[in-house]
Short mmCIF file of all heavy atoms in Angstrom, two decimals:
data_model
loop_
_atom_site.label_atom_id
_atom_site.label_comp_id
_atom_site.label_asym_id
_atom_site.label_seq_id
_atom_site.Cartn_x
_atom_site.Cartn_y
_atom_site.Cartn_z
N LYS R 1088 35.03 -3.88 7.24
CA LYS R 1088 34.85 -4.75 6.09
C LYS R 1088 33.99 -4.04 5.05
O LYS R 1088 33.22 -3.15 5.39
CB LYS R 1088 34.16 -6.05 6.52
CG LYS R 1088 34.86 -6.79 7.64
CD LYS R 1088 34.02 -7.97 8.11
CE LYS R 1088 34.68 -8.69 9.26
NZ LYS R 1088 33.84 -9.82 9.75
N PRO R 1089 34.09 -4.45 3.79
CA PRO R 1089 33.23 -3.82 2.78
C PRO R 1089 31.75 -3.88 3.12
O PRO R 1089 31.01 -2.94 2.79
CB PRO R 1089 33.54 -4.62 1.52
CG PRO R 1089 34.96 -5.06 1.72
CD PRO R 1089 35.07 -5.35 3.19
N GLU R 1090 31.31 -4.94 3.78
CA GLU R 1090 29.91 -5.04 4.14
C GLU R 1090 29.48 -4.07 5.23
O GLU R 1090 28.29 -3.96 5.54
CB GLU R 1090 29.55 -6.48 4.56
CG GLU R 1090 30.48 -7.06 5.61
CD GLU R 1090 31.57 -7.93 5.02
OE1 GLU R 1090 32.18 -7.51 4.00
OE2 GLU R 1090 31.82 -9.02 5.56
N ASP R 1091 30.43 -3.36 5.83
CA ASP R 1091 30.11 -2.30 6.77
C ASP R 1091 29.71 -1.00 6.07
O ASP R 1091 29.30 -0.05 6.73
CB ASP R 1091 31.28 -2.02 7.71
CG ASP R 1091 31.60 -3.20 8.62
OD1 ASP R 1091 30.66 -3.82 9.15
OD2 ASP R 1091 32.80 -3.49 8.81
N THR R 1092 29.87 -0.94 4.78
CA THR R 1092 29.51 0.25 4.02
C THR R 1092 28.02 0.55 4.18
O THR R 1092 27.17 -0.29 3.91
CB THR R 1092 29.84 0.07 2.54
OG1 THR R 1092 31.26 -0.08 2.39
CG2 THR R 1092 29.38 1.27 1.72
N ALA R 1093 27.72 1.76 4.64
CA ALA R 1093 26.33 2.14 4.91
C ALA R 1093 26.31 3.58 5.38
O ALA R 1093 27.35 4.19 5.65
CB ALA R 1093 25.72 1.24 6.00
N ILE R 1094 25.11 4.13 5.47
CA ILE R 1094 24.92 5.37 6.19
C ILE R 1094 24.67 5.01 7.64
O ILE R 1094 23.81 4.18 7.95
CB ILE R 1094 23.74 6.18 5.63
CG1 ILE R 1094 23.98 6.53 4.16
CG2 ILE R 1094 23.55 7.47 6.43
CD1 ILE R 1094 22.80 7.22 3.50
N TYR R 1095 25.41 5.64 8.52
CA TYR R 1095 25.30 5.37 9.95
C TYR R 1095 24.55 6.51 10.63
O TYR R 1095 24.88 7.69 10.44
CB TYR R 1095 26.69 5.21 10.57
CG TYR R 1095 27.31 3.87 10.27
CD1 TYR R 1095 27.76 3.57 8.98
CD2 TYR R 1095 27.43 2.89 11.25
CE1 TYR R 1095 28.31 2.34 8.69
CE2 TYR R 1095 27.98 1.66 10.96
CZ TYR R 1095 28.42 1.38 9.68
OH TYR R 1095 28.97 0.15 9.40
N TYR R 1096 23.56 6.15 11.41
CA TYR R 1096 22.71 7.10 12.10
C TYR R 1096 22.81 6.90 13.61
O TYR R 1096 22.98 5.78 14.08
CB TYR R 1096 21.24 6.91 11.72
CG TYR R 1096 20.92 7.06 10.26
CD1 TYR R 1096 20.97 5.97 9.40
CD2 TYR R 1096 20.55 8.29 9.74
CE1 TYR R 1096 20.66 6.10 8.06
CE2 TYR R 1096 20.24 8.44 8.40
CZ TYR R 1096 20.29 7.33 7.56
OH TYR R 1096 19.98 7.47 6.23
N CYS R 1097 22.66 7.98 14.35
CA CYS R 1097 22.43 7.84 15.77
C CYS R 1097 21.01 8.26 16.09
O CYS R 1097 20.38 9.04 15.37
CB CYS R 1097 23.44 8.64 16.61
SG CYS R 1097 23.38 10.44 16.42
N ALA R 1098 20.49 7.70 17.16
CA ALA R 1098 19.14 7.98 17.60
C ALA R 1098 19.12 7.99 19.13
O ALA R 1098 19.95 7.35 19.77
CB ALA R 1098 18.16 6.94 17.07
N ALA R 1099 18.17 8.71 19.68
CA ALA R 1099 18.02 8.80 21.13
C ALA R 1099 16.60 8.47 21.54
O ALA R 1099 15.65 8.71 20.79
CB ALA R 1099 18.40 10.20 21.63
N ASP R 1100 16.47 7.92 22.72
CA ASP R 1100 15.17 7.52 23.23
C ASP R 1100 15.09 7.84 24.70
O ASP R 1100 16.02 7.53 25.46
CB ASP R 1100 14.95 6.02 23.00
CG ASP R 1100 13.51 5.60 23.24
OD1 ASP R 1100 13.12 5.46 24.42
OD2 ASP R 1100 12.78 5.42 22.25
N SER R 1101 13.98 8.44 25.11
CA SER R 1101 13.83 8.90 26.48
C SER R 1101 13.50 7.79 27.46
O SER R 1101 13.43 8.04 28.67
CB SER R 1101 12.76 9.99 26.57
OG SER R 1101 11.50 9.51 26.14
N GLN R 1102 13.28 6.57 26.99
CA GLN R 1102 13.02 5.48 27.91
C GLN R 1102 14.27 5.04 28.66
O GLN R 1102 14.17 4.33 29.64
CB GLN R 1102 12.38 4.29 27.18
CG GLN R 1102 10.97 4.59 26.72
CD GLN R 1102 10.26 3.38 26.17
OE1 GLN R 1102 10.64 2.84 25.14
NE2 GLN R 1102 9.22 2.96 26.87
N SER R 1103 15.42 5.43 28.16
CA SER R 1103 16.71 5.39 28.86
C SER R 1103 17.34 4.01 29.02
O SER R 1103 18.48 3.93 29.48
CB SER R 1103 16.61 6.06 30.24
OG SER R 1103 15.99 5.22 31.20
N VAL R 1104 16.66 2.96 28.66
CA VAL R 1104 17.22 1.62 28.73
C VAL R 1104 17.15 1.02 27.34
O VAL R 1104 16.08 0.90 26.75
CB VAL R 1104 16.47 0.74 29.74
CG1 VAL R 1104 17.06 -0.67 29.77
CG2 VAL R 1104 16.52 1.37 31.13
N CYS R 1105 18.28 0.61 26.81
CA CYS R 1105 18.34 0.18 25.42
C CYS R 1105 17.36 -0.92 25.04
O CYS R 1105 16.73 -0.83 23.99
CB CYS R 1105 19.77 -0.26 25.07
SG CYS R 1105 20.96 1.10 25.00
N PRO R 1106 17.21 -1.97 25.83
CA PRO R 1106 16.32 -3.06 25.39
C PRO R 1106 14.87 -2.69 25.20
O PRO R 1106 14.15 -3.41 24.50
CB PRO R 1106 16.48 -4.10 26.51
CG PRO R 1106 17.81 -3.81 27.11
CD PRO R 1106 17.93 -2.32 27.06
N ILE R 1107 14.40 -1.59 25.79
CA ILE R 1107 13.00 -1.20 25.65
C ILE R 1107 12.83 0.08 24.85
O ILE R 1107 11.71 0.60 24.75
CB ILE R 1107 12.31 -1.07 27.02
CG1 ILE R 1107 12.95 0.03 27.86
CG2 ILE R 1107 12.34 -2.40 27.76
CD1 ILE R 1107 12.19 0.34 29.14
N ALA R 1108 13.88 0.60 24.29
CA ALA R 1108 13.78 1.81 23.48
C ALA R 1108 12.95 1.56 22.24
O ALA R 1108 13.02 0.47 21.63
CB ALA R 1108 15.17 2.30 23.11
N THR R 1109 12.18 2.54 21.83
CA THR R 1109 11.34 2.43 20.64
C THR R 1109 11.90 3.21 19.45
O THR R 1109 11.46 3.00 18.31
CB THR R 1109 9.92 2.94 20.92
OG1 THR R 1109 9.97 4.32 21.31
CG2 THR R 1109 9.27 2.13 22.03
N TRP R 1110 12.84 4.09 19.69
CA TRP R 1110 13.52 4.85 18.64
C TRP R 1110 12.56 5.63 17.76
O TRP R 1110 12.70 5.66 16.52
CB TRP R 1110 14.40 3.92 17.81
CG TRP R 1110 15.31 3.07 18.64
CD1 TRP R 1110 15.30 1.71 18.76
CD2 TRP R 1110 16.36 3.53 19.50
NE1 TRP R 1110 16.28 1.30 19.63
CE2 TRP R 1110 16.95 2.40 20.11
CE3 TRP R 1110 16.87 4.79 19.82
CZ2 TRP R 1110 18.01 2.49 21.02
CZ3 TRP R 1110 17.92 4.88 20.73
CH2 TRP R 1110 18.48 3.74 21.31
N ARG R 1111 11.60 6.26 18.37
CA ARG R 1111 10.62 7.06 17.64
C ARG R 1111 10.82 8.56 17.81
O ARG R 1111 10.10 9.33 17.18
CB ARG R 1111 9.21 6.70 18.10
CG ARG R 1111 8.80 5.26 17.80
CD ARG R 1111 7.40 4.99 18.32
NE ARG R 1111 6.96 3.63 18.03
CZ ARG R 1111 5.79 3.13 18.40
NH1 ARG R 1111 4.93 3.88 19.08
NH2 ARG R 1111 5.48 1.88 18.10
N GLU R 1112 11.76 8.96 18.62
CA GLU R 1112 11.81 10.35 19.03
C GLU R 1112 12.83 11.21 18.29
O GLU R 1112 12.49 12.23 17.71
CB GLU R 1112 12.08 10.43 20.54
CG GLU R 1112 10.98 9.79 21.38
CD GLU R 1112 11.31 9.79 22.85
OE1 GLU R 1112 11.31 10.88 23.46
OE2 GLU R 1112 11.58 8.70 23.41
N TYR R 1113 14.09 10.80 18.32
CA TYR R 1113 15.16 11.66 17.82
C TYR R 1113 16.12 10.88 16.94
O TYR R 1113 16.63 9.82 17.33
CB TYR R 1113 15.95 12.28 18.98
CG TYR R 1113 15.08 12.90 20.05
CD1 TYR R 1113 14.97 12.33 21.31
CD2 TYR R 1113 14.37 14.07 19.79
CE1 TYR R 1113 14.18 12.90 22.29
CE2 TYR R 1113 13.57 14.64 20.76
CZ TYR R 1113 13.48 14.06 22.01
OH TYR R 1113 12.68 14.63 22.98
N TRP R 1114 16.39 11.42 15.75
CA TRP R 1114 17.31 10.83 14.79
C TRP R 1114 18.18 11.90 14.17
O TRP R 1114 17.73 13.01 13.93
CB TRP R 1114 16.56 10.10 13.68
CG TRP R 1114 15.96 8.80 14.10
CD1 TRP R 1114 14.76 8.60 14.71
CD2 TRP R 1114 16.55 7.50 13.93
NE1 TRP R 1114 14.56 7.26 14.94
CE2 TRP R 1114 15.64 6.57 14.46
CE3 TRP R 1114 17.74 7.05 13.37
CZ2 TRP R 1114 15.90 5.19 14.45
CZ3 TRP R 1114 18.00 5.69 13.36
CH2 TRP R 1114 17.07 4.78 13.90
N GLY R 1115 19.42 11.54 13.89
CA GLY R 1115 20.29 12.41 13.13
C GLY R 1115 20.12 12.19 11.64
O GLY R 1115 19.31 11.36 11.19
N GLN R 1116 20.90 12.91 10.84
CA GLN R 1116 20.81 12.83 9.39
C GLN R 1116 21.73 11.79 8.78
O GLN R 1116 21.60 11.47 7.60
CB GLN R 1116 21.10 14.20 8.77
CG GLN R 1116 20.07 15.27 9.13
CD GLN R 1116 18.68 14.89 8.68
OE1 GLN R 1116 18.46 14.58 7.50
NE2 GLN R 1116 17.73 14.90 9.60
N GLY R 1117 22.65 11.27 9.56
CA GLY R 1117 23.51 10.20 9.10
C GLY R 1117 24.86 10.67 8.60
O GLY R 1117 25.04 11.82 8.21
N THR R 1118 25.80 9.75 8.61
CA THR R 1118 27.13 9.98 8.06
C THR R 1118 27.53 8.75 7.26
O THR R 1118 27.34 7.62 7.69
CB THR R 1118 28.15 10.31 9.17
OG1 THR R 1118 29.42 10.63 8.59
CG2 THR R 1118 28.32 9.15 10.14
#
């Protein structure tokens, strides 16, 4: 949808479980 227009980023977290990830460690530059 048009509202999906955005820069999309991926990120990684060493805590390994999504609900407790803090997303402070690794980020890409986006697409």
Side-chain angles (χ1 to χ4, degrees):
K1088 305 173 182 179
E1090 51 263 44
D1091 295 318
T1092 296
I1094 300 175
Y1095 284 71
Y1096 301 90
C1097 64
D1100 192 282
S1101 61
Q1102 291 188 295
S1103 78
V1104 178
C1105 290
I1107 62 172
T1109 60
W1110 309 115
R1111 296 179 179 179
E1112 298 176 70
Y1113 311 110
W1114 286 84
Q1116 295 300 306
T1118 184

